[in-house]
Amino acid sequence: MRLTAGPGTMSSGSANFLLVPIPEFPLPDSAPARTVKIAVLGASNVGKTALIVRFLTKRFIGDYEANTGALYSRKVTLDVEEVSLQVQDTPCVALQDNPEGLYCQEQINRSIYWADGYVLVFSITDHSSYRTIQPLYQHVRRIHPSGNIPVILVGNKSDLLRARQVSADEGETLAASLGGVYFEVSARENHEGVHAAFLHLCQEVVRALGGGNGEKRRGGLHLARPKSPNMQELKRRFRQVLSSKVKSATTI
Ligand SMILES: Nc1nc2c(ncn2[C@@H]2O[C@H](COP(=O)(O)OP(=O)(O)OP(=O)(O)O)[C@@H](O)[C@H]2O)c(=O)[nH]1
């Protein structure tokens, strides 16, 4: 991961330890009984990684290398129940001139199949990222043709109001058409909004999974969970971070 220290984020070397991906539970029996699996999907540069890092670490870190599809695990408490939350970061999707209107890597399809709930992200400063959402949702529906699909729509970068290309009304209308709730947030400036969005989706997933123990609500084809980085890979990436120079913050 290549990262830039931004104002109000990191200034000392030790703060780099924030960048270590959150490890998965080392022992199966240390994890809560219920697992909630969430995939974060959207176009390039909308802030998928920034949102996940903000949610899991409460920090905003200026710059990330193009996403490699890391999987993060965390215990979270929903009401009184502790669940094991798994969050899959994904490579970007792109609008395309084909019948599906979308270019989606196979890795993303696996993530969509694997997940129980979806964070669909666009940037309020990029109308084409907003236009990606409808075909992306249709794509999720094709992979899960039946049943309730827990989804939230996130309009990120709400701190960049002067560059706004998508109105809050457009966000709300689109979310309603997908059967989800719209959250307009800034991964850069606000932890609470990001936290509320992820928590809402977790609750929707728990509701959709019902009383089960986290097993899939759907039968049939079983695809393996997307690969998470192994410890060697995580160590290698961490060494890269430490050895790369911390760049100065990008002024936005
Ligand atoms: N101003 C502002 N910038 C943001 C915000 N969230 C992310 N960014 C910036 O947007 C850029 C892209 O963020 P990423 O988290 O890498 O976006 P991504 O969607 O994972 O990008 P891909 O790897 O291309 O899929 C970075 O320069 C972030 O610093 C935000 O809320 N406000």
Side-chain angles (χ1 to χ4, degrees):
M1 231 186 234
R2 175 177 54 77
L3 299 142
T4 302
T9 55
M10 302 178 307
S11 54
S12 74
S14 64
N16 278 336
F17 284 97
L18 272 175
L19 312 180
V20 182
I22 292 89
E24 293 184 56
F25 298 115
L27 298 170
D29 58 2
S30 70
R34 195 195 290 269
T35 302
V36 170
K37 299 168 191 164
I38 286 176
V40 180
L41 304 166
S44 170
N45 216 34
V46 295
K48 297 181 293 298
T49 307
L51 287 164
I52 296 170
V53 171
R54 184 55 127 162
F55 172 59
L56 295 174
T57 70
K58 299 192 177 172
R59 298 300 183 105
F60 177 76
I61 299 158
D63 203 5
Y64 307 86
E65 81 172 10
N67 174 252
T68 49
L71 176 75
Y72 301 96
S73 292
R74 203 23 104 70
K75 288 180 192 173
V76 294
T77 305
L78 299 175
D79 299 326
V80 291
E81 185 189 8
E82 194 173 63
V83 302
S84 163
L85 172 64
Q86 299 187 341
V87 184
Q88 178 73 51
D89 199 356
T90 62
C92 59
V93 297
L95 284 172
Q96 198 108 76
D97 202 9
N98 63 24
E100 296 193 352
L102 200 68
Y103 172 71
C104 224
Q105 288 179 28
E106 189 48 38
Q107 185 187 349
I108 300 178
N109 293 335
R110 280 202 300 275
S111 298
I112 293 173
Y113 185 83
W114 164 87
D116 301 312
Y118 305 90
V119 181
L120 305 183
V121 187
F122 69 88
S123 163
I124 67 152
T125 66
D126 175 5
H127 204 274
S128 81
S129 71
Y130 171 80
R131 292 194 300 276
T132 305
I133 299 293
Q134 188 61 258
L136 180 54
Y137 178 75
Q138 294 309 329
H139 191 69
V140 173
R141 270 245 162 266
R142 271 191 290 276
I143 294 177
H144 298 294
S146 59
N148 167 30
I149 297 178
V151 65
I152 59 168
L153 180 63
V154 172
N156 189 34
K157 307 198 185 182
S158 66
D159 56 296
L160 298 177
L161 278 178
R162 271 184 280 171
R164 187 192 274 280
Q165 293 183 0
V166 184
S167 71
D169 278 356
E170 284 178 285
E172 274 161 19
T173 306
L174 178 56
S177 78
L178 309 179
V181 174
Y182 179 54
F183 292 86
E184 199 162 283
V185 304
S186 166
R188 182 186 177 94
E189 295 202 336
N190 183 278
H191 167 70
E192 283 75 24
V194 176
H195 188 77
F198 274 89
L199 235 56
H200 177 85
L201 181 60
C202 287
Q203 277 157 345
E204 289 297 302
V205 169
V206 166
R207 208 166 293 141
L209 291 174
N213 63 354
E215 282 305 304
K216 278 271 183 284
R217 61 194 177 284
R218 45 198 177 247
L221 180 70
H222 177 77
L223 295 183
R225 175 188 97 168
K227 252 187 144 187
S228 68
N230 62 32
M231 285 314 290
Q232 291 301 328
E233 174 62 9
L234 294 183
K235 283 178 188 160
R236 187 188 66 75
R237 278 158 53 183
F238 186 48
R239 276 198 298 272
Q240 270 181 357
V241 171
L242 291 180
S243 63
S244 69
K245 275 192 175 165
V246 175
K247 294 194 307 181
S248 58
T250 313
T251 310
I252 299 173

